[in-house]
Structures are given as C-alpha cells and as structure tokens.
Amino acid sequence: MPHPGNTVRRPSSAERVVIVSASVGAGHDGAAAELERRLVAAGLAVDRFDLLDVLPARLGRLVRDGYHRLLVRAPWAYQRIYSSTERAGGGGPMARALLRSAEERLLRALPAGTGAVVSTYPGASRVLGNLRRDGRLTVPVLTYLTDFSVHPLWVADGVDVHLALHAVPAAQARAAGARDVRVCGPVADPRFRPVDAPERALARARFGLPPTAPLALLVAGSWGVGPVREVARDLRDCGAAVPLVVCGRNETLADQLRADGIEHVHGWVDDMPGLMHASDVLVQNAGGLTSLEAFATGLPVASYGCIPGHGLTNAAALDEAGVAAWIRDPAQLKYVLGELIDGPRGLLQREAGLALFADDPHGPDRGPAAETARICRAGAEHIPAPTARPCAAPIVGPAVPPTAHSVAASIAPRVTPPAAHPVTASIAPRVTPPAARRVARPAALRLATTTALACAVWAGAVGTAVATTESGPGLMHAIGQSLDLDDLSHAHHTGRVPVQGHAKGHHA
C-alpha cells in the first residue's frame, strides 16, 4: 500500500496522483517507481499501492506464487492460458470474481483529494476501470502500458486514457478496444544512459570483467525464469561473446550456472546500470522493463529463448518496432550477435532504442509522467466520461480526510518478505459485528477457496480463463486436487491434457 516516505503533501488537492501496480516480478513496480519519481519532480503528491495487497485473505500472495510456479513448473500451461485469454479478449469468470473482490477495498484506500489514478498492471486496470465505469470513481483513470505487446486484459472498459511507449503497442491497444491511446514513450531510471569508453572500462573493472572481450548480458527477470542455462551455454559455445548472467533472486540457478562453468554469474544486482555500461549486447527472454533500460543505455537488444506468453508476444512486437532482434534459431545466434556487437545492425538498433527517449530526456516536461500530470491538473471534466451504470453514491476515496480511527479500521501493516518487493501495507477487511461475522465467515471461506484455485493459473498480467480452453476441464481437475503444479506436469507427460507450443526455448 502507500510506500512510507514516498508521499509528498501539496496544498492543492487537485494535484495528487495514486499509482496502482503489482509485485508480480519487478517490471510493473519498476515502471511505477519511475513514474512516481517523475511526478514528484513535477510537484505532485504521489501514493503507490500494490493491488496484491488489496485482495482479501492474503490471496495476493497466492496469485504471485501461483504465477511464479506456473512459469517455472508448467510453462506449457501458461502458454495455453495466455493464448486462450488473448482469443477471448480477457480473463475468465474466476479472474473477474477475484478482481471484483478488490474494488471496494481499493476505493476505500484512495486518499481524499486524489486527482487521477494510474495503473501499471492489467488487473489493476480492470479494477479501476470498473469503478470508473460504474461512477464510483469520479477522477480520470489512466493505464500505462509497460510492455511492447498488449494483451486484451490491459484494455479495460472505463479507463479514460491508455499511455503507450511506442506506436506498435498503441496500435495493439486500439485494436483491443482502447478509445483514447496516447504515445508518450517509455520511462527508465536516469542512471540508464549512454557512457563513454573510460566509464565503460571503469564499470568492467568494478565487476571484475574482461577488459576487452565482447560481453553478452543475459537477463531473465527478477525471478530468473526461462531456459537460462541452455541460453548461457549457447552464448558461451557460439563464441560471439562472453556470457554475463544475472539470475535475479534465483540462487539455485546461479549455483547451476557456476557448476556449468559459466564464469560471470550474478544474483540480485543493485547496479544494473553498471552492468549494462560494461556490456556489448543484452540478451533477454521476456521483453519487459530491462529491455527499456537497455534502450536508454544505448545497448542493442536480442530476444532469445523467450518464455511463453508475454515473452513471445513482446519479442514479436520489439522485432516489429525495429528495436530488438528476435533470434528464433540457435544457428543464427553467432551471426546476429556479431552484427549487434560490431555491425551496422547494432548501430541501427542503438539509434532506434535511444530514439524512444529522444522526446523525454529523463525530465518531467515530456513522457507519460508529464501527460499524467496534465490530465490530473485538468480534471475529469476535460475527458469524456465513460458510460456509467446507475450508482447510489459516486465517490472517490474517503469523503472527508481520514481520521486515525478510520485508517486503523481499513488499513493494517503487513510484513513483506525481503525477496518480494518494497515494504507496503495491506488493506484489512471491514470490522463486522460478531453476529454478522458468523454468517459472513462461511461465504468468505468459500470465496477464498474458489479464488485460491484460480490463483495457480492466473498468470499475473494475463489472468485466468481456463474455462475457455480445450484443456480447461483437465487443468482445473489437476488444480482442484492440489496447488502443487507437479500434478499439472504429470497430466502433461501422461497426455491427459492436450499441449501446444512445448518447444525448445519456451520452457523453464
């Protein structure tokens, strides 16, 4: 919930922005953090919330853990879910029920005087869009599209403005039904910038890297998922560059790589700008925030060994935009990397990547933060209101500034594991009289049980629509037996659940 120390109070109540993200990986939170930094620099008050903290009964943790385990243990199932929800134009009934459970809780948490709300996560866009469409939220809602590919879940009815980082995702958002899409460019921490040869040499010395050998920086997100070991060995064996691998919080992967003889292996790294300054090319498998940071650094990017779902669609969109090479065949690896490191292709991609930031040189005057500030200050009257269904009491946040008692009744502190995300607070259920509590508890338990089943297959940014897939009944049967995805793997290997797209490079 609100990040301690990150809120700046302003006299004008029309200049407060709330950003809603989700600690699913690090990309959504990373984009939210940079938007916050820029909005604060522009003089606005900012509060940040984690949607997973808003879900009842600690279901947010199940969502995050289920998504993680799905990517690691059953990526074939994630691909099926992603594809089915893409065809269906959004998530299934369980995902919708899960998100509905967060609506009132998020609405109560919004501070008085909120002037605009920004989502950096598809589920948050759905929750906020419903509140806006129903008239319960009376200020503009914006979605900042953090990726180059746009799954239909990103486009929610009721969202006023979708901010895209390039024309390719903007076109995809419009095709999915977004009515007001504005190309505003990406955001990246200002530490990600081009450097000269002396600073590059210092970065290599700081990390103990070879002073002259070409280096391929291999990343796999904060969780270190995907066929990273295979890709690292391919990089080493092709001879185009020395692999420099960042495993995130996956310590097991780091140990395996060292046992494989990969010399330069790191876990979680705070100085990613330094590693990029030291490298000659970035090899990535998901197409998220790290790719944007590489573009800002002037580092050419290659997509290889992509994870299923958004990893594949992002690779295709980045390739279409001309900012990253998509290497589908291991036989092409050496040639393409050579072209990116020393050839004209690398020069063209460096220029294309840096051009994304040409109109937004890490300042507050342009880009998605500046557009958000303008919309917040202009107010909802300058944006056509979404079609609203009747609502008894349209509100935004508390009607009066919250008292200490009301805050204590609605928001409770939460201890976050160090490996998860920055310290936040979660929203606790309303205080219910004892008699009513006895009646409500069975219903709450049923909701928690039903939603927990969905969490294992709600793959973060794509929700769950298992009922729309051919393999839905078998998959739900496996999940109903246990949240342990070993059951899914068993179903896969015994042929009880049809499988598509289980190819080299698309599984963990």
Side-chain angles (χ1 to χ4, degrees):
M1 304 309 299
H3 287 223
N6 286 348
T7 300
V8 177
R9 302 287 179 180
R10 294 277 298 177
S12 173
S13 62
E15 296 188 355
R16 176 178 293 278
V17 174
V18 171
I19 301 173
V20 185
S21 181
S23 52
V24 180
H28 301 288
D29 279 345
E34 181 58 20
L35 281 175
E36 176 187 24
R37 186 191 69 81
R38 296 182 181 209
L39 287 166
V40 169
L44 281 79
V46 179
D47 299 273
R48 278 175 56 196
F49 293 79
D50 187 331
L51 180 68
L52 301 190
D53 290 333
V54 183
L55 297 175
R58 298 185 179 179
L59 289 174
R61 180 177 178 180
L62 288 176
V63 170
R64 180 173 56 243
D65 292 349
Y67 174 40
H68 184 197
R69 299 185 74 186
L70 198 64
L71 283 176
V72 172
R73 308 281 290 278
W76 56 271
Y78 175 61
Q79 179 63 56
R80 292 299 300 271
I81 294 166
Y82 190 96
S83 298
S84 68
T85 53
E86 195 170 38
R87 290 192 301 271
M94 286 187 176
R96 289 194 293 271
L98 182 64
L99 294 174
R100 279 197 300 270
S101 71
E103 289 178 7
E104 287 298 328
R105 297 165 67 87
L106 180 58
L107 188 63
R108 291 199 306 267
L110 296 179
T114 297
V117 188
V118 183
S119 164
T120 63
Y121 179 68
S125 296
R126 292 273 162 155
V127 172
L128 293 167
N130 287 343
L131 292 172
R132 181 81 169 109
R133 183 191 60 200
D134 293 347
R136 289 175 286 166
L137 184 57
T138 59
V139 299
V141 171
L142 299 84
T143 287
Y144 176 62
L145 302 167
T146 59
D147 289 358
F148 259 75
S149 68
V150 180
H151 189 279
L153 273 173
W154 271 110
V155 178
D157 292 339
V159 171
D160 296 284
V161 179
H162 288 77
L163 304 178
L165 48 85
H166 187 273
V168 167
Q172 292 185 13
R174 293 187 186 102
R179 60 173 190 163
D180 186 347
V181 183
R182 308 179 189 184
V183 179
C184 298
V187 293
D189 188 304
R191 296 179 300 160
F192 293 95
R193 56 180 176 78
V195 297
D196 55 18
E199 193 166 351
R200 169 186 165 90
L202 287 173
R204 290 199 171 202
R206 190 163 63 249
F207 285 98
L209 299 170
T212 58
L215 295 177
L217 177 60
L218 172 58
V219 296
S222 62
W223 287 340
V225 296
V228 183
R229 294 180 70 187
E230 293 89 336
V231 172
R233 289 195 291 260
D234 287 348
L235 289 172
R236 178 192 61 194
D237 296 343
C238 80
V242 175
L244 167 60
V245 189
V246 177
C247 302
R249 297 186 173 96
N250 192 337
E251 296 179 1
T252 300
L253 173 62
D255 292 339
Q256 291 171 338
L257 287 167
R258 294 184 184 106
D260 291 340
I262 304 299
E263 183 177 357
H264 304 289
V265 178
H266 295 268
W268 182 262
V269 176
D270 291 322
D271 187 16
M272 276 300 293
L275 278 183
M276 289 192 181
H277 295 155
S279 302
D280 296 281
V281 64
L282 177 81
V283 179
Q284 63 84 33
N285 66 4
L289 180 63
T290 307
S291 297
L292 302 178
E293 293 167 344
F295 298 149
T297 308
L299 193 64
V301 175
S303 305
Y304 181 66
C306 297
I307 63 174
H310 65 279
L312 294 173
T313 58
N314 276 334
L318 289 165
D319 188 60
E320 179 185 351
V323 293
W326 186 10
I327 306 175
R328 301 169 179 83
D329 186 348
Q332 300 175 336
L333 187 61
K334 181 176 182 178
Y335 172 75
V336 175
L337 289 182
E339 282 287 296
L340 292 175
I341 293 171
D342 291 320
R345 187 171 187 175
L347 293 175
L348 290 174
Q349 289 206 353
R350 287 185 185 95
E351 292 176 359
L354 288 170
L356 295 173
F357 296 87
D359 294 331
D360 185 21
H362 299 304
D365 297 332
R366 296 180 181 273
E371 189 68 19
T372 299
R374 282 192 287 270
I375 292 172
C376 177
R377 287 165 172 157
E381 63 272 15
H382 295 282
I383 298 178
T387 302
R389 295 197 294 263
C391 179
I395 57 172
V396 50
V400 295
T403 64
H405 175 74
S406 66
V407 171
S410 63
I411 300 180
R414 167 176 173 261
V415 178
T416 302
H421 55 90
V423 175
T424 60
S426 64
I427 297 182
R430 291 175 178 171
V431 177
T432 309
R437 195 179 301 141
R438 287 194 294 271
V439 176
R441 187 170 296 158
L445 288 175
R446 285 195 298 271
L447 172 63
T449 302
T450 301
T451 309
L453 299 180
C455 289
V457 292
W458 179 23
V462 300
T464 181
V466 177
T468 68
T469 70
E470 297 174 7
S471 59
L475 190 58
M476 285 305 296
H477 174 75
I479 295 167
Q481 298 300 313
S482 170
L483 287 177
D484 189 341
L485 292 175
D486 281 335
D487 294 335
L488 301 184
S489 299
H490 174 71
H492 166 55
H493 290 302
T494 56
R496 292 170 57 192
V497 179
V499 178
Q500 293 178 351
H502 190 178
K504 182 181 185 298
H506 298 164
H507 61 280

